[in-house]
Amino acid sequence: MEHFNPADKIQDLQYFGEFGGVNPSISDSSTYTFLSAKKMFDTFEGNAEGCYLYSRHSSPMNLYLGEALAAMEGTESANVAASGMGAITPVLLQLCASGDEIVSSRTIYGGTYAFMKNMLPKWNIKTHFVDITKLEAVEQAINKNTKVLYCETVSNPLLEVADIASLAAIAKKHNIKLVVDNTFSPLSVAPAKLGADVVIHSLTKFINGSSDTVGGVVCASQEFINDLKNVNNGASMLLGPTMDSLRSSSILKNLRTLHIRMKQHSCNAMYLAQKFENDGLKVVYPGLASHPSHVLYAGMINKEYGFGGMMTLDVGTLEKANELMELLQNRNLGYLAVSLGFYKTLFSAPGTSTSSEIPLEEQKEMGLSDGLIRFSIGLDNDIERTYSLMKACMIELCILEPQVVS
Ligand code: PLP
């Protein structure tokens, strides 16, 4: 099999601006003129390649960004959206009709969980939440009404790993679509290459990397992207989560450095995970041999980009977690903030923030404990120094014992 390096695929694309600029020109227009009424009609019908009609449907900069993200994921096409949720929700509504069902991983981003659990029943679409690491349980939950199998490559916040190739085989066997949210693992994993039908990202996170905008993308076959954008029944076209051209321009520029950033995020996270585990802390990181899916994940990733920048630490209680996060922020070692993929380390307690949509009972069942802190490790230049400073905070709060020097 040809070695697929997503960063090379992005780099191979070449765009110039209107006046020979090294960046493509931003088309600052919501609507486009036509020299003839017939051309306008043909464009509306989808029969005039290269013509633009109205920016909710397509704009040049959104197409450039979509093309780069499709190249990164190895899919035929992509459609950018104004947020990650603006990518996820139309995909599910496009694939499911009243009476259809979804089988989803139970450990997913809280917003996606809430949409499936609380909103989709209004369309008479039911979701079965399963432990995605138990392939038998996944298959048992599929029935004749199931249309979608949904998971995150590395789940938010528990960092469970989905065996995408095996899930793709199950989806194929039952003639349903495998939809994968790859937000935590861009470049490291290419789910479409492992058999996923639709790959989604919240661009808000690592891909944009500067925490200055929200954004999303759906990467899939040309046919599915055309369906999403269909003027009569396309969920993206009709729900309207359109990204603004100025934003897609800035995200495309940030995408150019994603490979460098991912290597640094992964390297720093691996260093801290190993150190904290050696110190006796409860660390979850897919790069550690102690992670239940370490071997599986090592076989799935493009090793160059590592095991990613996300790590969790369980410090026992919510009080301790809050104390630690506040102290780390006071020492300027990161920010007490949701989201991820920033240059600075970000941390939050998912049970009371990004996963608070999940009822407490269910949080417990899936292993989401009170004292869990989710870290998005930053791009720190000297991670050894960061580690020493973080460790000092933990000693101060009695999370770690001071080391006895003999
Ligand atoms: N998917 C994952 C894994 C996320 O972590 C998030 C946001 O936190 C989303 C999707 C939603 O993305 P957005 O906030 O850009 O709508």
Side-chain angles (χ1 to χ4, degrees):
M1 201 172 95
E2 173 221 4
H3 176 63
F4 178 75
N5 191 322
D8 294 345
K9 300 285 175 198
I10 297 170
Q11 195 177 321
D12 288 346
L13 294 170
Q14 192 181 50
Y15 307 123
F16 293 113
E18 203 179 346
F19 303 103
V22 294
N23 289 305
S25 306
I26 300 168
S27 167
D28 199 17
S29 298
S30 57
T31 190
Y32 299 82
T33 57
F34 291 86
L35 291 178
S36 77
K38 174 161 184 337
K39 194 82 173 176
M40 181 187 247
F41 177 76
D42 288 347
T43 305
F44 208 79
E45 294 284 295
N47 299 325
E49 193 63 32
C51 290
Y52 297 92
L53 182 77
Y54 186 62
S55 290
R56 175 154 46 81
H57 185 260
S58 281
S59 63
M61 189 54 76
N62 284 6
L63 288 189
Y64 284 137
L65 178 60
E67 191 184 357
L69 292 164
M72 179 184 89
E73 287 298 353
T75 58
E76 281 176 2
S77 189
N79 188 39
V80 297
S83 69
M85 289 308 290
I88 293 165
T89 52
V91 164
L92 297 176
L93 289 170
Q94 194 70 35
L95 291 173
C96 298
S98 173
D100 290 341
E101 297 187 6
I102 297 169
V103 172
S104 170
S105 167
R106 62 185 184 174
T107 66
I108 49 174
Y109 167 60
T112 312
Y113 177 90
F115 181 69
M116 289 175 177
K117 180 135 190 204
N118 306 329
M119 297 275 298
L120 284 180
K122 295 183 186 179
W123 282 272
N124 192 28
I125 298 166
K126 184 174 171 187
T127 304
H128 301 269
F129 293 99
V130 295
D131 179 343
I132 204 73
T133 63
K134 303 234 160 36
L135 295 174
E136 261 174 42
V138 171
E139 193 152 15
Q140 267 168 18
I142 296 173
N143 64 40
K144 62 176 186 1
N145 296 323
T146 311
K147 291 292 184 306
V148 170
L149 179 52
Y150 187 94
C151 66
E152 293 172 1
T153 310
V154 177
S155 77
N156 185 358
L158 292 177
L159 311 184
E160 285 179 354
V161 171
D163 178 351
I164 296 183
S166 300
L167 293 168
I170 292 173
K172 209 174 185 127
K173 178 172 155 197
H174 294 275
N175 199 22
I176 60 177
K177 299 289 180 206
L178 176 62
V179 178
V180 179
D181 180 336
N182 200 30
T183 299
F184 277 24
S185 43
L187 301 181
S188 291
V189 181
K193 292 284 171 190
L194 297 169
D197 298 288
V198 179
V199 182
I200 293 172
H201 282 276
S202 163
L203 302 175
T204 316
K205 313 294 161 42
F206 290 105
I207 291 181
N208 184 53
S210 50
S211 292
D212 55 0
T213 184
V214 286
V217 70
V218 180
C219 303
S221 66
Q222 190 62 57
E223 187 186 358
F224 185 65
I225 297 301
N226 289 347
D227 286 351
L228 282 175
K229 294 169 76 169
N230 188 294
V231 292
N232 293 309
N233 54 22
S236 291
M237 180 63 186
L238 299 179
L239 293 170
T242 312
M243 177 175 279
D244 183 77
S245 288
L246 294 169
R247 277 308 184 189
S248 45
S249 164
S250 71
I251 296 172
L252 180 60
K253 282 177 274 189
N254 288 353
L255 181 66
R256 302 283 179 211
T257 57
L258 180 64
H259 57 299
I260 303 168
R261 291 185 279 114
M262 284 318 294
K263 287 175 193 178
Q264 185 79 2
H265 283 300
S266 290
C267 193
N268 284 353
M270 182 65 128
Y271 182 89
L272 291 180
Q274 281 173 340
K275 286 287 185 186
F276 287 136
E277 186 170 60
N278 282 344
D279 290 334
L281 290 174
K282 270 172 82 177
V283 187
V284 173
Y285 182 66
L288 294 176
S290 57
H291 189 286
S293 301
H294 172 68
V295 175
L296 166 72
Y297 199 51
M300 276 166 63
I301 60 169
N302 197 328
K303 294 223 166 29
E304 234 181 285
Y305 306 106
F307 289 87
M310 302 303 293
M311 176 188 100
T312 68
L313 210 63
D314 191 340
V315 293
T317 63
L318 180 60
E319 291 68 38
K320 265 283 169 253
N322 289 342
E323 269 184 84
L324 178 61
M325 292 190 293
E326 285 169 13
L327 186 58
L328 290 173
Q329 177 163 261
N330 286 340
R331 302 271 159 90
N332 198 18
L333 294 167
Y335 296 143
L336 173 45
V338 297
S339 202
L340 43 129
F342 199 33
Y343 82 94
K344 191 99 173 171
T345 292
L346 301 179
F347 32 79
S348 54
T352 50
S353 58
T354 49
S355 297
S356 56
E357 295 91 341
I358 303 172
L360 281 178
E361 207 46 11
E362 289 173 42
Q363 289 191 23
K364 270 212 180 87
E365 206 177 293
M366 62 177 69
L368 208 171
S369 50
D370 273 358
L372 193 84
I373 305 175
R374 185 190 75 179
F375 285 83
S376 164
I377 304 299
L379 300 172
D380 305 29
N381 178 52
D382 183 351
I383 198 66
E384 288 183 46
R385 173 172 165 267
T386 302
Y387 164 68
S388 309
L389 294 168
M390 282 184 163
K391 190 170 172 177
C393 294
M394 293 180 192
I395 292 171
E396 204 169 313
L397 297 175
C398 301
I399 292 166
L400 278 176
E401 301 269 327
Q403 227 148 12
V404 185
V405 184
S406 55

